[in-house]
Amino acid sequence: MSRVCELTGKGPMTGNNVSHAKNRTRRRFLPNLNDVTLQSESLGRGIKLRISAAALRSVDHRGGLDAYLAKAKDTELSDRALKVKKEVAKAVASA
């Protein structure tokens, strides 16, 4: 399982551990990923996603998963999230 947010595309970054003596060793900064089930109003079911805590706040701020996916860029979304976005758009268009 990759350490990449399915909604924002946020992934690991690299940097240095710096000791008091200024010795530098390489390290990785991992995103704060959580497995969550978000409810979709238009689909009427929950969708399981692995997203960062920042993305979870963004989803809440924009008014839910459907509103977030409507504004999200396709390049940032994972394949699963892109599939859900198309399902939501189809459900909204038919309603």
Side-chain angles (χ1 to χ4, degrees), residues 60-73:
D60 192 32
H61 178 74
R62 287 197 186 166
L65 180 63
D66 297 347
Y68 183 89
L69 289 175
K71 289 188 173 183
K73 297 178 183 174

Side-chain angles (χ1 to χ4, degrees), residues 1-17:
M1 191 174 347
S2 65
R3 296 183 184 272
V4 176
C5 176
E6 293 191 76
L7 295 182
T8 61
K10 185 182 289 190
M13 295 175 61
T14 58
N16 290 311
N17 278 326

Side-chain angles (χ1 to χ4, degrees), residues 4 11 13 16 18 26-27 31-33 40 51 59-60 67 74 82-83 87 89 92:
V4 176
M13 295 175 61
N16 290 311
V18 182
R26 298 303 285 177
R27 62 162 290 182
N32 183 10
L33 295 180
S40 171
I51 63 173
V59 168
D60 192 32
D74 291 351
L82 198 56
K83 183 178 173 186
E87 287 179 29
V92 168

